[in-house]
Amino acid sequence: MLYDELDELRERASSRLASTLREAGGTPQARTERDVIADEYSRRLAQIDAAENGLCFGRIDTDTGEPHYIGRLGIRDSGDDYRPLLLDWRAPAARPFYLATPVSPEGIRRRRHIKTIGRKVTRLDDEVLDLDAAGQSPGSGLTGEAALLAALNASRTGQMADIVETIQAEQDWIIRSEHKGVLVVQGGPGTGKTAVALHRAAYLLYTHREQLARRVVLIIGPNPTFLRYVGQVLPSLGETSALLSTIADLYPGVTARRPEPQPTALLKGRAELADVVAAAIRGRQGLPRGGLEVTYEHETVRLDRRACTRITQRARRTRMPHNQARALVHRLLIEALARKVADRIGFDVLGGGNLLGEEDLADIRAELRDSPEVRSALEAFWPRLTPQRLLDDLLSAPERLAAAAASLTQAERDSLLREPGGGWTAADVPLLDEAAELLGEDDRVTAARQRRERRRRIAYARGVLDLAYGSRSVDLNPEEEAEILSAYDILDAERLAERYEQEDDRTAVERAAADRTWTFGHIIVDEAQELSPMAWRMLMRRCPSRSMTIVGDMAQASEQCGAPSWQEVLGSHLGDRWRLDRLTINYRTPAEIAEVAADVLTQIDPGLDQPRAVRESGSRPWHLPVPAGEMHAVLGEAASEEADRVGGGRLAVIVPGSRLDELAKAVAVTVPDVVLAEEPDLDRPVVVLSVKQARGLEFDSVLVADPQQILAESPCGLNDLYVALTRPTQRLGVIHEGELPPVLGGLVPRDEAGTG
């Protein structure tokens, strides 16, 4: 019956969408209403299609004997009573499905988990919550333990699946938390931080649809591989009003893929770089020394340094962005130059005054503005700058960098220098955004561009109307022709151009992605411990309302391992105006692997708590020593054997970043279809990744190669090793040259490990 109603919903939505799209013409308001209605039906169809797989996944039986079915979207009976047939998982009435426990049953006698493939029920798991009636004792405290463990033990597919069927109580509290303000979610590996963040996005879009669908939810992830890995979660929940991006991709029109040494990236991320950018802009305002000289009627006209300084200071006092202040500066310079010219050519020798009137001064100003030499001098004094030009000039010129970055050491400035036009790195993007904010955009330039575009549209529209007018029959006499309406009688070129100007068929997500100044309704940041202070400045500008969900784990901090607390990260932006929730249960990592990872966590910070693992795999994590020079052969053979062992699951070989290429090629010798790419897709059974690429991902089995190099090549080596060790859901092996790092003393020799 549910699927019959779903098919009927799909048919109605499709029919109404087709009918809406056939409507044409009308007033601008009518066209806007048509687009809104079409968008709503398109969104509804996307929800229906997404709900097809796993439409109904649960049932709760209440104390009154009334059953309620829980699913991916709400469905009502199409009959006269509109009786609820299926509760949307986000609806308040569905919440007991996730929160009810034997100790606190929430009025629920029994909870049923329903597993389907297509439209066929394949498995039922029942939990009796009325313990007195059932004669049972409380269990593990997990909601739907059988269904949860089945999901956790299932093989990975290369794409993250939603957890809508198995959300646990501590996760549900965070998902449904109030959207206003900043919520920080601290959770160790395997606690479901990413899943919670994505389901929170779906919940907020459901609860605050009108506000957030219009303003868009921004989701920030650590790298493109991660975003592809989680990319299907929100569509599977029927939500499309979210923009997924990395910090590197958040500046429209800039592709930031150039690699860069980690120390340089860390330096660019420091908060004091905002002052460097501001100083670089000030360094382009006015002349560094001397005054301004131009030639007028074959004679030199000069403004001294004092006059130039007064003009510069007057412009800065307005607090306008650099490019918007440019028109004022140029006007003041022209005025000062015109006065100099007037004083010279209009001086009354006898009377001591000036013989020139206001009209003469206006003529002089006009001649100065028309002079190419004067325009060039004004541009040099206060140039129009783009963020790209400013930053490229700064980082490729030692003298400019030295003047703007006096607070940095010479070695730090040397590390920032590069060849001009060398492309952008991820750490450059927040600097570009900072520059864009301080530079602003010259409103006159924008207006001129819009006028040119409008003239182009009008010319095109006039050509269309001319064709329509010229298509009338040439056999008509003048009286007959005058009685027939032409296209010009109904619509002129300006109105036709305006109609096309008003129509923008891009979605809100597409418009947000193309607009640097877009302010988002809510921002979710995953792996937030990795963001630099400059990246945080960039994100805070994107959300003035400070409606944010920040998820991360300080123990996994690699890029920003010097930040010891969320207060230090967020305090400069928020003070104490944020709240903290914790995830304490490790669903991903088996207890055997969690025990090894706990030793590394203790070395990172003895005060950090390891999340509690809820299951065992039966396979102990192992290590395999390799003679010097034989890593390539042994790693390739071990990867091949482990790939066969995991069957249809996924294997990741995690290696030091400095050895990624060589070890990936070594694995490819024995595993021909292994993924070898800088930003790999995860659709193949075996992938070789650096720790940075593996962040946020999970695999059935993981081989960690050369742990000593992972520790050595970063100041945050322990954090990186901790990340690598906590990626598997079933099996872990470590292959090493020389002695095993002492922190991994919990590993057993490979021949002593269980088969799992």
Side-chain angles (χ1 to χ4, degrees):
M1 184 176 181
L2 283 176
Y3 280 104
D4 292 340
E5 293 291 340
L6 186 72
D7 290 339
E8 187 171 335
L9 284 172
R10 180 185 286 111
E11 184 177 347
R12 286 203 302 266
S14 297
S15 175
R16 290 172 181 173
L17 175 61
S19 175
T20 301
L21 292 176
R22 283 195 297 269
E23 298 176 7
T27 64
Q29 179 179 348
R31 293 195 302 276
T32 299
E33 292 174 354
R34 177 198 66 193
D35 293 342
V36 170
I37 294 171
D39 181 68
E40 175 62 25
Y41 283 129
S42 297
R43 186 185 62 80
R44 185 60 171 166
L45 277 172
Q47 287 181 319
I48 292 170
D49 291 339
E52 174 75 28
N53 184 27
L55 172 63
C56 175
F57 53 79
R59 185 178 112 171
I60 49 178
D61 297 338
T62 65
D63 290 338
T64 62
E66 182 182 6
H68 297 290
Y69 287 90
I70 315 299
R72 293 177 176 274
L73 80 168
I75 296 180
R76 290 181 175 272
D77 190 340
S78 58
D80 294 336
D81 58 356
Y82 287 96
R83 177 173 54 90
L85 298 177
L86 189 66
L87 294 176
D88 190 299
W89 67 276
R90 295 164 289 191
R95 196 173 191 190
F97 180 77
Y98 300 109
L99 295 185
T101 66
V103 176
S104 178
E106 303 277 335
I108 306 301
R109 291 190 299 105
R110 183 179 68 171
R111 172 172 45 225
R112 168 170 288 179
H113 289 265
I114 304 169
K115 182 66 176 177
T116 60
I117 297 179
R119 300 190 174 192
K120 182 180 179 181
V121 176
T122 60
R123 176 174 171 169
L124 298 175
D125 291 305
D126 283 351
E127 294 175 89
V128 178
L129 302 180
D130 186 348
L131 298 182
D132 293 335
Q136 298 176 0
S137 59
S140 66
L142 298 176
T143 301
E145 183 174 359
L148 174 64
L149 293 179
L152 295 176
N153 289 319
S155 296
R156 270 41 190 171
T157 64
Q159 282 196 331
M160 185 179 184
D162 64 64
I163 61 167
V164 65
E165 303 175 20
T166 58
I167 294 171
Q168 299 300 295
E170 71 171 7
Q171 297 173 328
D172 185 83
W173 281 109
I174 293 171
I175 289 170
R176 298 174 192 263
S177 181
E178 171 60 41
H179 83 289
K180 294 181 179 179
V182 175
L183 171 63
V184 177
V185 181
Q186 165 70 35
T191 54
K193 297 185 299 297
T194 298
V196 166
L198 294 172
H199 286 69
R200 177 162 168 76
Y203 171 77
L204 293 178
L205 284 165
Y206 171 85
T207 309
H208 307 281
R209 172 76 58 195
E210 183 177 351
Q211 174 187 352
L212 295 184
R214 183 176 65 252
R215 297 307 310 157
V216 181
V217 173
L218 172 64
I219 299 175
I220 294 293
N223 55 60
T225 301
F226 173 87
L227 294 182
R228 286 192 294 271
Y229 174 65
V230 304
Q232 290 304 309
V233 172
L234 283 175
S236 75
L237 299 173
E239 297 299 345
T240 57
S241 297
L243 172 63
L244 276 68
S245 178
T246 66
I247 289 292
D249 296 316
L250 202 53
Y251 194 102
V254 169
T255 301
R257 291 293 182 269
R258 188 170 69 84
E260 171 170 71
Q262 187 186 34
T264 303
L266 289 174
L267 175 58
K268 288 181 178 179
R270 280 160 41 180
E272 65 190 282
L273 265 291
D275 296 330
V276 173
V277 173
I281 294 174
R282 289 194 299 273
R284 307 297 290 272
Q285 297 172 345
L287 300 176
R289 51 188 170 273
L292 177 71
E293 291 186 356
V294 298
T295 300
Y296 178 79
E297 293 186 348
H298 308 293
E299 293 192 27
T300 298
V301 183
R302 186 176 187 278
L303 294 180
D304 61 25
R305 183 176 182 178
R306 182 178 299 177
C308 293
T309 300
R310 283 199 301 268
I311 291 172
T312 299
Q313 291 176 343
R314 180 175 172 182
R316 289 174 178 168
R317 282 196 299 270
T318 66
R319 297 188 178 276
M320 287 192 295
H322 172 90
N323 286 329
Q324 293 177 17
R326 179 172 169 274
L328 170 64
V329 171
H330 287 191
R331 179 171 61 79
L332 293 175
L333 289 172
I334 288 288
E335 182 66 29
L337 289 170
R339 291 288 179 186
K340 285 282 186 178
V341 172
D343 288 344
R344 189 185 71 238
I345 66 176
F347 182 70
D348 183 356
V349 177
L350 297 177
N354 198 306
L355 300 176
L356 301 182
E358 184 55 39
E359 290 186 3
D360 299 312
L361 276 172
D363 290 340
I364 295 172
R365 287 194 292 265
E367 290 172 0
L368 288 169
R369 281 193 296 268
D370 290 340
S371 167
E373 181 189 344
V374 173
R375 289 201 301 269
S376 177
L378 299 185
E379 186 66 20
F381 188 96
W382 198 286
R384 180 185 296 120
L385 294 170
T386 65
Q388 291 91 328
R389 176 185 169 188
L390 175 83
L391 197 60
D392 195 46
D393 288 350
L394 174 66
L395 299 181
S396 61
E399 66 283 357
R400 280 190 173 137
L401 188 58
S407 62
L408 302 182
T409 67
Q410 184 60 52
E412 289 173 333
R413 292 196 292 270
D414 290 343
S415 71
L416 292 175
L417 285 172
R418 66 180 195 191
E419 292 296 321
W424 302 110
T425 70
D428 288 329
V429 171
L431 300 181
L432 289 169
D433 196 73
E434 188 77 23
E437 196 71 14
L438 296 175
L439 289 172
E441 187 171 358
D442 190 339
D443 295 337
R444 297 184 311 159
V445 175
T446 303
R449 184 167 59 244
Q450 292 173 343
R451 287 194 298 272
R452 289 194 301 270
E453 179 62 19
R454 177 171 173 77
R455 286 196 296 269
R456 184 192 65 78
R457 282 194 296 267
I458 291 175
Y460 178 80
R462 186 171 289 116
V464 171
L465 293 175
D466 287 343
L467 287 174
Y469 182 81
S471 65
R472 296 183 303 174
S473 174
V474 296
D475 298 328
L476 298 176
N477 61 47
E479 287 97 3
E480 293 173 325
E481 185 175 353
E483 294 177 359
I484 297 177
L485 289 175
S486 72
Y488 275 114
D489 296 317
I490 301 172
L491 188 68
D492 60 26
E494 286 78 6
R495 288 167 58 194
L496 180 59
E498 182 180 355
R499 172 172 296 182
Y500 284 103
E501 180 180 6
Q502 291 176 344
E503 294 183 354
D504 186 349
D505 58 359
R506 295 179 301 169
T507 65
V509 172
E510 291 169 335
R511 295 198 303 273
D515 185 355
R516 191 198 69 83
T517 63
W518 188 278
T519 56
F520 291 89
H522 192 83
I523 292 182
I524 291 175
V525 187
D526 203 352
E527 300 291 341
Q529 74 280 350
E530 295 303 293
L531 266 60
S532 70
M534 288 301 298
W536 281 114
R537 287 176 64 90
M538 183 180 185
L539 283 185
M540 293 296 171
R541 281 193 286 269
R542 299 296 196 278
C543 192
S545 66
R546 300 296 191 264
S547 177
M548 307 175 80
T549 303
I550 297 168
V551 300
D553 178 20
M554 282 301 172
Q556 297 183 64
S558 176
E559 297 293 332
Q560 304 299 321
C561 58
S565 69
W566 290 113
Q567 180 59 45
E568 184 167 330
V569 170
L570 301 173
S572 61
H573 304 286
L574 302 170
D576 58 359
R577 298 184 304 279
W578 55 277
R579 59 194 191 277
L580 176 68
D581 272 333
R582 297 182 183 275
L583 293 169
T584 61
I585 300 175
N586 184 343
Y587 305 100
R588 175 207 302 149
T589 313
E592 298 92 337
I593 298 175
E595 185 178 347
V596 173
D599 293 338
V600 181
L601 182 63
T602 300
Q603 288 291 317
I604 295 172
D605 185 346
L608 294 175
D609 295 326
Q610 176 86 350
R612 175 173 64 90
V614 299
R615 64 193 178 95
E616 297 179 352
S617 68
S619 175
R620 297 185 65 185
W622 51 265
H623 72 98
L624 179 64
V626 176
E630 296 186 19
M631 172 64 80
H632 290 187
V634 174
L635 181 61
E637 181 181 347
S640 179
E641 293 174 358
E642 194 66 21
D644 291 339
R645 186 170 285 112
V646 298
R650 293 294 186 270
L651 166 67
V653 181
I654 301 180
V655 304
S658 60
R659 302 190 67 181
L660 179 59
D661 289 342
E662 61 162 305
L663 294 181
K665 292 174 182 176
V667 173
V669 172
T670 55
V671 186
D673 61 345
V674 66
V675 178
L676 302 174
E678 183 176 339
E679 295 177 359
D681 288 319
L682 304 176
D683 56 348
R684 297 184 190 175
V686 182
V687 61
V688 182
L689 301 168
S690 67
V691 177
K692 186 175 182 179
Q693 291 172 324
R695 185 172 295 280
L697 308 180
E698 63 181 19
F699 306 89
D700 297 276
S701 181
V702 167
L703 294 179
V704 178
D706 197 356
Q708 191 62 55
Q709 181 61 25
I710 291 176
L711 290 170
E713 69 180 15
S714 166
C716 316
L718 279 169
N719 305 67
D720 287 344
L721 184 59
Y722 184 64
V723 170
L725 296 175
T726 54
R727 298 307 95 198
T729 65
Q730 301 293 340
R731 296 174 52 84
L732 171 67
V734 175
I735 301 175
H736 57 99
E737 295 173 313
E739 293 295 323
L740 185 70
V743 73
L744 297 179
L747 297 172
V748 301
R750 184 168 70 163
D751 56 7
E752 296 180 16
T755 58

